[in-house]
Amino acid sequence: MLEGMTSRDPQAAELARLASLVADETRASCLLALLDGRAWTASELARHAGVAASTLSEHLGKLVAGGLLTEERQGRHRYVRLADARVAQLVEELASHVAPGSAVRPRNLRESSAGSAMARGRTCYDHLAGRLGIAVTDAMTVRQLLRQDAGFALTEAGLRWFGAVGIPLDRKGRRPLARACLDWTERRPHLAGVAGAALCRHALEAGWCVRIGSERAVKVTEAGEKALAELLGVSSTALR
């Protein structure tokens, strides 16, 4: 090896490859949309990103090849979703580093309303985010169901709480039981991991929350306000 030269770091090359995948507005728009945890068709994503279907197909091919998306076909339709929770965490954390004042102002009332709804409550891949996610996380911490002093961890009381409410926790996989996810609108961590996903799934299935619009926004129902108040002491004002 010539003097002064160093060998290439394979991690640097992989990081550069990953960054190049995200560093495109159309691909970034698709990744953010897919944070709702659902599978979208290519045509739906094309309309969302405001590009031609042929253009979008090329971008999706790169994201699938790069391991950020997975795809499946049903008949004539091609569905894509985020590859896994790690990809969702990466996208959400990158979004959280966008300066608060740098966001584009809404162009009309519809965009303003959608933005307000997203900030109030939304899904972040498979767990709750926005003010709703923060309110639930804070309430669990106050009630000593969740610890935040050395990373996120469910306490013994927290494990019993999930069991008492009837929310099963899948502890067989490698995914952490509880994990902090930095909320890009609140700039504070909300609950993710197995516990966060299970709580979000239960909230939707039990009718505590309902999805609104075509984005990731969710709205707490009257039944949800009552349940969260009784089970966690969350005030209705914290959810609005």
Coordinates of all heavy atoms in Angstrom, one line a residue, residues 126-163:
D126 N -45.8 1.2 13.3 CA -46.8 0.4 14.0 C -47.0 0.8 15.4 O -47.5 0.1 16.2 CB -46.3 -1.1 13.9 CG -45.0 -1.3 14.6 OD1 -44.4 -0.4 15.1 OD2 -44.6 -2.5 14.6
H127 N -46.6 2.1 15.7 CA -46.9 2.6 17.1 C -47.4 4.0 17.0 O -47.4 4.6 16.0 CB -45.6 2.5 18.0 CG -44.4 3.1 17.4 ND1 -43.5 2.5 16.5 CD2 -44.0 4.4 17.5 CE1 -42.6 3.4 16.2 NE2 -42.8 4.5 16.8
L128 N -47.9 4.5 18.2 CA -48.5 5.8 18.2 C -47.5 6.9 18.4 O -46.5 6.8 19.1 CB -49.5 5.8 19.4 CG -50.7 4.8 19.4 CD1 -51.4 4.9 20.7 CD2 -51.6 5.1 18.2
A129 N -47.8 8.0 17.7 CA -46.8 9.1 17.7 C -47.6 10.4 17.8 O -48.9 10.4 17.9 CB -45.9 9.1 16.5
G130 N -46.9 11.6 17.7 CA -47.6 12.9 17.9 C -47.9 13.1 19.3 O -47.4 12.4 20.2
R131 N -48.8 14.1 19.6 CA -49.1 14.4 21.0 C -49.8 13.2 21.6 O -49.7 13.0 22.8 CB -50.1 15.6 21.0 CG -49.4 16.9 20.6 CD -50.2 18.1 21.0 NE -51.5 18.3 20.4 CZ -51.7 18.8 19.2 NH1 -50.6 19.3 18.5 NH2 -52.9 18.9 18.7
L132 N -50.5 12.4 20.9 CA -51.2 11.2 21.4 C -50.1 10.3 21.9 O -50.2 9.7 23.1 CB -52.0 10.5 20.3 CG -52.5 9.1 20.7 CD1 -53.4 9.1 21.9 CD2 -53.3 8.6 19.5
G133 N -49.1 10.0 21.1 CA -48.0 9.1 21.5 C -47.3 9.6 22.7 O -46.9 8.8 23.6
I134 N -47.0 10.9 22.8 CA -46.3 11.4 23.9 C -47.1 11.4 25.2 O -46.6 11.1 26.3 CB -45.9 12.9 23.6 CG1 -44.9 12.9 22.4 CG2 -45.3 13.6 24.8 CD1 -43.5 12.3 22.7
A135 N -48.4 11.7 25.0 CA -49.3 11.7 26.2 C -49.4 10.3 26.8 O -49.3 10.1 28.1 CB -50.7 12.1 25.8
V136 N -49.5 9.3 26.0 CA -49.5 7.9 26.5 C -48.2 7.5 27.1 O -48.2 6.9 28.2 CB -49.9 6.9 25.3 CG1 -49.7 5.5 25.8 CG2 -51.3 7.1 24.9
T137 N -47.1 7.9 26.5 CA -45.8 7.6 27.0 C -45.5 8.2 28.4 O -45.0 7.6 29.3 CB -44.7 8.0 26.0 OG1 -44.9 7.3 24.8 CG2 -43.3 7.7 26.6
D138 N -45.9 9.5 28.5 CA -45.8 10.3 29.7 C -46.6 9.6 30.8 O -46.2 9.5 32.0 CB -46.1 11.7 29.5 CG -45.1 12.5 28.8 OD1 -44.0 12.0 28.6 OD2 -45.4 13.7 28.4
A139 N -47.8 9.3 30.5 CA -48.8 8.7 31.5 C -48.2 7.4 32.0 O -48.3 7.1 33.2 CB -50.1 8.5 30.9
M140 N -47.7 6.5 31.1 CA -47.1 5.3 31.5 C -45.9 5.5 32.4 O -45.7 4.7 33.4 CB -46.7 4.4 30.3 CG -47.9 4.0 29.5 SD -47.4 2.9 28.1 CE -46.9 1.4 29.0
T141 N -45.1 6.5 32.1 CA -43.9 6.8 33.0 C -44.3 7.3 34.3 O -43.8 6.9 35.4 CB -43.1 7.9 32.3 OG1 -42.7 7.4 30.9 CG2 -41.8 8.1 33.0
V142 N -45.3 8.2 34.4 CA -45.8 8.7 35.7 C -46.3 7.6 36.6 O -46.1 7.6 37.8 CB -46.9 9.8 35.4 CG1 -47.6 10.2 36.7 CG2 -46.3 11.1 34.8
R143 N -47.0 6.7 35.9 CA -47.6 5.6 36.7 C -46.6 4.4 36.9 O -47.0 3.3 37.4 CB -48.8 5.0 36.0 CG -50.0 6.0 35.9 CD -51.3 5.4 35.7 NE -52.4 6.3 36.0 CZ -53.6 6.0 36.2 NH1 -53.9 4.7 36.3 NH2 -54.5 6.9 36.5
Q144 N -45.3 4.7 36.6 CA -44.2 3.7 36.8 C -44.5 2.4 36.1 O -44.1 1.3 36.5 CB -44.0 3.5 38.3 CG -43.6 4.7 39.0 CD -43.3 4.5 40.5 OE1 -43.7 3.5 41.1 NE2 -42.5 5.4 41.1
L145 N -45.1 2.5 34.9 CA -45.3 1.3 34.0 C -44.1 1.3 33.1 O -43.8 0.2 32.5 CB -46.6 1.4 33.3 CG -47.9 1.6 34.1 CD1 -49.1 1.8 33.2 CD2 -48.0 0.5 35.1
L146 N -43.5 2.4 32.9 CA -42.4 2.6 31.9 C -41.3 3.4 32.5 O -41.5 4.4 33.2 CB -42.9 3.3 30.6 CG -41.9 3.6 29.5 CD1 -41.4 2.3 28.9 CD2 -42.5 4.5 28.5
R147 N -40.0 2.9 32.3 CA -38.9 3.7 32.8 C -38.2 4.3 31.6 O -38.0 3.8 30.6 CB -37.9 2.8 33.6 CG -38.4 2.1 34.8 CD -37.4 1.3 35.5 NE -36.2 2.1 35.8 CZ -35.1 1.5 36.4 NH1 -35.1 0.3 36.7 NH2 -34.0 2.3 36.6
Q148 N -37.7 5.6 31.9 CA -37.0 6.3 30.9 C -35.6 6.7 31.3 O -34.9 7.4 30.6 CB -37.8 7.5 30.4 CG -39.1 7.3 29.8 CD -39.7 8.5 29.1 OE1 -39.0 9.3 28.5 NE2 -41.0 8.7 29.2
D149 N -35.2 6.3 32.5 CA -33.9 6.8 33.1 C -32.7 6.2 32.4 O -31.7 6.9 32.4 CB -33.9 6.6 34.6 CG -34.2 5.1 34.9 OD1 -34.6 4.4 34.1 OD2 -34.0 4.7 36.1
A150 N -32.8 5.1 31.9 CA -31.7 4.4 31.2 C -32.2 3.8 29.9 O -32.1 2.6 29.7 CB -30.9 3.5 32.1
G151 N -32.7 4.6 29.0 CA -33.4 4.0 27.9 C -34.8 3.6 28.3 O -35.2 3.6 29.5
F152 N -35.6 3.1 27.4 CA -37.0 2.7 27.7 C -37.0 1.3 28.1 O -36.4 0.4 27.5 CB -37.9 2.9 26.4 CG -38.4 4.3 26.3 CD1 -37.8 5.4 26.8 CD2 -39.6 4.5 25.6 CE1 -38.3 6.6 26.7 CE2 -40.2 5.7 25.4 CZ -39.5 6.8 26.0
A153 N -37.8 1.0 29.2 CA -37.9 -0.4 29.7 C -39.3 -0.5 30.4 O -39.6 0.4 31.2 CB -36.8 -0.7 30.6
L154 N -40.0 -1.5 30.1 CA -41.2 -1.7 30.9 C -40.9 -2.2 32.3 O -39.9 -3.1 32.5 CB -42.1 -2.8 30.2 CG -42.9 -2.4 28.9 CD1 -43.7 -3.6 28.5 CD2 -43.7 -1.2 29.1
T155 N -41.6 -1.8 33.3 CA -41.4 -2.3 34.6 C -42.2 -3.5 34.8 O -43.0 -3.9 34.0 CB -41.8 -1.2 35.7 OG1 -43.2 -1.0 35.5 CG2 -41.0 0.1 35.4
E156 N -42.0 -4.2 36.0 CA -42.9 -5.3 36.3 C -44.3 -4.9 36.3 O -45.2 -5.6 35.9 CB -42.4 -5.9 37.6 CG -41.1 -6.7 37.6 CD -41.2 -7.8 36.6 OE1 -42.2 -8.5 36.6 OE2 -40.2 -8.1 35.9
A157 N -44.6 -3.7 36.9 CA -45.9 -3.2 36.9 C -46.5 -3.0 35.5 O -47.6 -3.2 35.2 CB -46.0 -1.9 37.7
G158 N -45.6 -2.5 34.6 CA -46.0 -2.3 33.2 C -46.3 -3.6 32.5 O -47.3 -3.7 31.8
L159 N -45.6 -4.7 32.8 CA -45.9 -6.0 32.2 C -47.2 -6.5 32.7 O -48.1 -7.0 31.9 CB -44.8 -7.0 32.6 CG -43.4 -6.8 31.9 CD1 -42.4 -7.7 32.5 CD2 -43.5 -7.0 30.4
R160 N -47.5 -6.3 34.0 CA -48.8 -6.7 34.6 C -49.9 -5.9 34.0 O -51.0 -6.4 33.7 CB -48.8 -6.6 36.1 CG -47.9 -7.6 36.8 CD -48.2 -7.6 38.3 NE -47.9 -6.3 38.9 CZ -46.7 -5.9 39.4 NH1 -45.7 -6.8 39.4 NH2 -46.6 -4.8 40.0
W161 N -49.7 -4.6 33.7 CA -50.7 -3.7 33.1 C -51.1 -4.2 31.8 O -52.3 -4.3 31.5 CB -50.1 -2.3 33.1 CG -51.1 -1.3 32.5 CD1 -52.1 -0.6 33.2 CD2 -51.3 -0.9 31.1 NE1 -52.8 0.2 32.4 CE2 -52.4 0.1 31.1 CE3 -50.7 -1.2 30.0 CZ2 -52.8 0.7 29.9 CZ3 -51.1 -0.6 28.8 CH2 -52.1 0.3 28.8
F162 N -50.2 -4.5 30.9 CA -50.5 -5.0 29.6 C -51.3 -6.3 29.7 O -52.3 -6.5 29.0 CB -49.2 -5.3 28.8 CG -48.7 -4.1 28.0 CD1 -47.8 -3.2 28.6 CD2 -49.1 -3.8 26.7 CE1 -47.4 -2.1 28.0 CE2 -48.7 -2.7 26.1 CZ -47.8 -1.9 26.7
G163 N -51.0 -7.2 30.6 CA -51.7 -8.4 30.8 C -53.2 -8.1 31.3 O -54.1 -8.7 30.9

